[in-house]
Amino acid sequence: MLYSALIFGFISSLHCVGMCGPIALMIPVDKDNVVKKWLQISTYQIGRVTAYTSLGVIFGFLGAGFFIAGFQQQLSIIVGVLMILIAIIPEKKLAQYNFSKPIYKIVSEVKTQLGLQFKKKSYKSLFLIGLFNGYLPCGMVYVALFGAMAMNNVLLGSLYMTLFGLGTIPLMMVLVNFLKTTQFSYYSKFQKIIPILIVGIGILFVLRGFGLDIPYISPSILHLHIQSEVNCH
């Protein structure tokens, strides 16, 4: 399922342009030196991917707990269903529920630290801008974290989020520069692809949970459970 993280990250970058694009355009870079500018932008992106990876560790750990408890199959199905629901429920409806309320103080502090870093021009500050940006609430990141948790493994969970972050970089960097002189109408058209992709990935997780013995899509139930004895064919 790791390939789905890279694909999802690539398509999610369309969403990132609208949410994180303004922040990327505001980062203090040297516009007169092309090489230095791209090094600075890359440092920002590395910070963002680092944030996603660290979140992947946490949710991978949670998923590992379900795996040890023997609930990995059910977890994969639940994660898939949640992904599909997020995609089909209108965004305005979801906006009525502030899921970040329990961690409002933490989010507020992250925003404060993010603002402070814009006053500096060091590579450390650029890395921190990307890091704090990655920790800000985002619907696409929430969906990706569901996927990381369904990996049932700390390493795979962190890798899932790393690939998700890497997938957001190419298109986001291109579109951020492209949209400086282009109307956002094209962006809104591409946005329609995102729900379709989320449903597709959700279906993959549901199929994975059913253990239909389909190579690369739905491994046999024997591979989804911890067994006390070795199964030989």
Side-chain angles (χ1 to χ4, degrees):
M1 296 299 294
L2 289 174
Y3 62 87
S4 69
L6 195 61
I7 296 172
F8 183 51
F10 183 76
I11 301 297
S12 292
S13 57
L14 294 167
H15 180 267
C16 291
V17 170
M19 299 300 293
C20 304
I23 294 178
L25 290 173
M26 289 171 59
I27 60 176
V29 297
D30 189 344
K31 298 180 180 180
D32 297 324
N33 188 322
V34 177
V35 175
K36 189 175 181 180
K37 175 184 176 182
W38 282 99
L39 284 174
Q40 291 171 325
I41 294 175
S42 297
T43 302
Y44 158 77
Q45 298 291 359
I46 290 172
R48 201 163 55 84
V49 174
T50 300
Y52 296 151
T53 302
S54 64
L55 291 172
V57 170
I58 296 173
F59 278 78
F61 181 78
L62 292 174
F66 283 103
F67 182 78
I68 294 174
F71 295 119
Q72 64 273 24
Q73 187 179 354
Q74 294 89 333
L75 176 63
S76 185
I77 295 173
I78 292 172
V79 164
V81 171
L82 287 174
M83 286 183 174
I84 295 171
L85 288 176
I86 289 175
I88 63 177
I89 296 176
E91 190 173 349
K92 292 182 179 180
K93 190 71 175 179
L94 288 174
Q96 295 177 4
Y97 305 94
N98 189 351
F99 296 105
S100 63
K101 276 186 177 181
I103 55 172
Y104 177 76
K105 291 184 178 180
I106 298 176
V107 172
S108 179
E109 181 61 26
V110 169
K111 289 181 178 180
T112 299
Q113 293 300 321
L114 178 61
L116 292 174
Q117 298 306 317
F118 280 103
K119 300 178 181 180
K120 307 172 185 179
K121 294 185 178 181
S122 65
Y123 283 98
K124 178 182 177 181
S125 64
L126 290 167
F127 175 83
L128 290 175
I129 289 173
L131 187 73
F132 293 136
N133 184 21
Y135 286 138
L136 291 177
C138 173
M140 297 299 101
V141 175
Y142 293 158
V143 174
L145 287 174
F146 286 149
M149 186 165 60
M151 290 294 99
N152 307 316
N153 181 285
V154 176
L155 179 60
L156 292 179
S158 62
L159 181 57
Y160 190 94
M161 291 306 295
T162 299
L163 291 174
F164 168 78
L166 292 175
T168 66
I169 292 177
L171 194 56
M172 181 180 173
M173 293 182 75
V174 171
L175 289 180
V176 164
N177 289 281
F178 182 67
L179 289 175
K180 288 180 180 179
T181 56
T182 306
Q183 295 181 347
F184 277 81
S185 58
Y186 293 103
Y187 165 71
S188 61
K189 291 178 181 178
F190 282 121
Q191 279 281 74
K192 298 178 181 178
I193 299 175
I194 296 177
I196 298 174
L197 177 74
I198 295 176
V199 169
I201 294 177
I203 291 173
L204 285 176
F205 274 101
V206 171
L207 291 174
R208 177 174 178 264
F210 283 141
L212 302 176
D213 198 16
I214 302 175
Y216 306 107
I217 295 178
S218 183
S220 170
I221 293 178
L222 292 175
H223 294 90
L224 293 174
H225 291 281
I226 300 175
Q227 302 178 64
S228 58
E229 299 180 0
V230 177
N231 186 314
C232 299
H233 293 281

